Amino acid sequence: MDGVRGPRAALAVGALAVGVFGVITTEMGVVGVLPRLSQHLHVAPATAGWLVGVFALTVALAGPPATLAASRLPRKAVLVAVPVLFAVSNAVYALTDSFPVMLAFRVLPALVHPVFFALALTAATRLARPGREGRAVSVVFAGVSAGFAFGVPLTAYLADHLGLAAAFWSAAAVNLLAAAGLLVLFPRLPREQHVSTAGQLGILRSARLWLAVAAVTLVFAAMFAGYGFFAEYLERVTGLAPSLTGAALMAFGAVMTVTGIGFGRLLERDLTRTVTAYPLLYVGLYALLYAIGTHPAAMVAGVLLWGAVHSGGLAVAQGWLARDAARAPEFGNSLFISFSNLGITLGTALAGATVTVAGPRHLPLAGAALAALALAAVCARRRVGPPTPPAGVPGPAAVSAPAAERAPSRSGVQAGGGQGQGAGRL
């Protein structure tokens, strides 16, 4: 794997990606089996929907406090324990027919979901060679893409053909595989100086950080204003059959899995220009989707392009926020998880309102408007200059403004750690 510190580090980053895949499959796999769960648990479909909603709400609320609480625990122990908890939760899903029990075991893994992501992203950058952090993070994010592209459809397929229990046991097996891989492959990393809780919270005093948070929220709102109603647009506007919509969704996710690493390379070369270009790319994409939305043949290519653009959002947004949270990278990553979930909520809410008021034909216009707002937030953050460490919090030496604007971060994108000529290679 290009950009990491040797074969074992490459395998460890791969194990982190498998762990992320298991987490996403557990989180989102129930979406494809909600009708079956409604019958199995003897509850109304709307009630069964809380199995999704409560998980997302818990992730959004628990991210920063849970990450702070786990900050003194051994990193490897946490990275191994979380997939084990997800495996146990899937085993409970397979065995129970009680809605309250299943709901409780949706909340428990959701509490540690953001902790795993925060530690995995930070660990990936520490396993990377200097200047190659972006692509290591992109490999971890490939686990997210694979979860949506393959984990969610596979859960639905197994439930349809072998039953709900088989679907959940398979998810449990994936999480146990990830835990075993991390136990064996994840290396002992040098201890970093522990940043106190007050020091971690100190980054919240930075106006730069909050401008970055606003950009992250709006980028995700723009992304999911369209993706959240993917099937609605393809079926009601393009006129695809539901069976073809499922195939399109898998193709979308497959493209995401392949192309996401390319954005990691762009971030390593020039963080600021890549982040600035990303909302513009989405404005152009939505304009294209609006133009070709009623033409099925053109939309086939449009879906593939959509997946390629969508694949960059995770790494782009995380990298933009991470450089302003370099003094508390894990806490910063937890903010990324929480506010990206908030952006998803805002984007899908606006898209839902657009469908109700104007119809699904105008969904790309709502997404383009949010992408334009995201661009404005990025430009506002650029105007206030490079990151400044919170007072009293130790960190690497300050660098010049141009270097800080370009360089990738050790927490995803680090000021001062840029990839120059002759950067280390495998």
Side-chain angles (χ1 to χ4, degrees):
M1 187 183 298
D2 189 21
V4 296
R5 300 174 184 270
R8 185 176 180 185
L11 291 172
V13 172
L16 290 170
V18 174
V20 168
F21 173 79
V23 167
I24 292 297
T25 300
T26 301
E27 177 186 5
M28 301 304 300
V30 299
V31 171
V33 297
L34 276 179
R36 284 180 167 273
L37 281 173
S38 174
Q39 297 174 4
H40 179 71
L41 300 173
H42 311 293
V43 295
T47 303
W50 280 103
L51 296 172
V52 179
V54 164
F55 195 108
L57 181 62
T58 303
V59 168
L61 295 178
T67 304
L68 284 175
S71 63
R72 291 184 177 275
L73 299 176
R75 299 298 184 260
K76 181 172 181 176
V78 175
L79 287 171
V80 172
V82 171
V84 171
L85 176 58
F86 272 74
V88 170
S89 298
N90 276 287
V92 171
Y93 306 159
L95 296 171
T96 190
D97 60 359
S98 167
F99 177 77
V101 170
M102 189 163 186
L103 188 65
F105 277 86
R106 293 293 287 171
V107 172
L108 285 176
L111 289 171
V112 295
H113 171 291
V115 176
F116 184 82
F117 266 88
L119 295 183
L121 293 172
T122 306
T125 62
R126 294 188 66 196
L127 290 167
R129 291 183 183 276
R132 305 294 180 90
E133 296 87 357
R135 69 191 72 180
V137 168
S138 296
V139 170
V140 174
F141 278 139
V144 177
S145 302
F148 280 103
F150 307 113
V152 175
L154 180 61
T155 300
Y157 178 86
L158 290 174
D160 288 339
H161 291 82
L162 299 176
L164 282 170
F168 291 130
W169 282 121
S170 69
V174 169
N175 281 284
L176 286 177
L177 176 64
L182 289 167
L183 180 64
V184 173
L185 299 171
F186 195 81
R188 184 182 298 276
L189 295 174
R191 289 186 65 86
E192 292 184 321
Q193 182 176 357
H194 176 72
V195 180
S196 68
T197 298
Q200 294 183 71
L201 291 174
I203 67 172
L204 299 177
R205 295 194 294 268
S206 168
R208 294 175 173 85
L209 177 79
W210 287 108
L211 286 171
V213 164
V216 166
T217 305
L218 289 167
V219 163
F220 271 82
M223 291 167 61
F224 282 83
Y227 180 76
F229 287 82
F230 184 93
E232 184 88 1
Y233 193 76
L234 291 184
E235 291 176 16
R236 293 183 55 186
V237 177
T238 308
L240 290 188
S243 59
L244 293 178
T245 300
L249 187 61
M250 289 193 69
F252 181 99
V255 170
M256 277 187 66
T257 304
V258 172
T259 57
I261 295 175
F263 277 95
R265 293 175 182 266
L266 291 174
L267 288 166
E268 290 168 1
R269 291 177 182 175
D270 196 317
L271 166 69
T272 300
R273 290 180 181 176
T274 301
V275 174
T276 305
Y278 189 75
L280 281 172
L281 199 58
Y282 240 114
V283 170
L285 172 70
Y286 277 135
L288 176 66
L289 294 177
Y290 185 77
I292 67 174
T294 56
H295 303 281
M299 274 301 293
V300 171
V303 163
L304 300 179
L305 179 61
W306 191 357
V309 174
H310 196 84
S311 70
L314 292 164
V316 165
Q318 189 270 344
W320 192 237
L321 191 153
R323 70 173 193 165
D324 286 308
R327 300 302 176 264
E330 289 161 4
F331 183 61
N333 283 330
S334 74
L335 293 174
F336 165 72
I337 299 299
S338 291
F339 281 94
S340 61
N341 274 273
L342 176 61
I344 292 170
T345 302
L346 292 175
T348 53
L350 178 60
T354 300
V355 170
T356 300
V357 173
R361 179 76 177 93
H362 299 285
L363 278 169
L365 300 182
L370 288 167
L373 290 174
L375 176 62
V378 170
C379 291
R381 169 62 191 84
R382 289 186 62 173
R383 287 179 64 86
V384 299
T388 300
V393 179
V399 296
S400 66
E405 288 293 299
R406 290 192 308 270
S409 162
R410 296 301 291 173
S411 58
V413 214
Q414 169 181 359
Q419 174 189 355
Q421 293 283 347
R425 300 179 182 177
L426 283 177

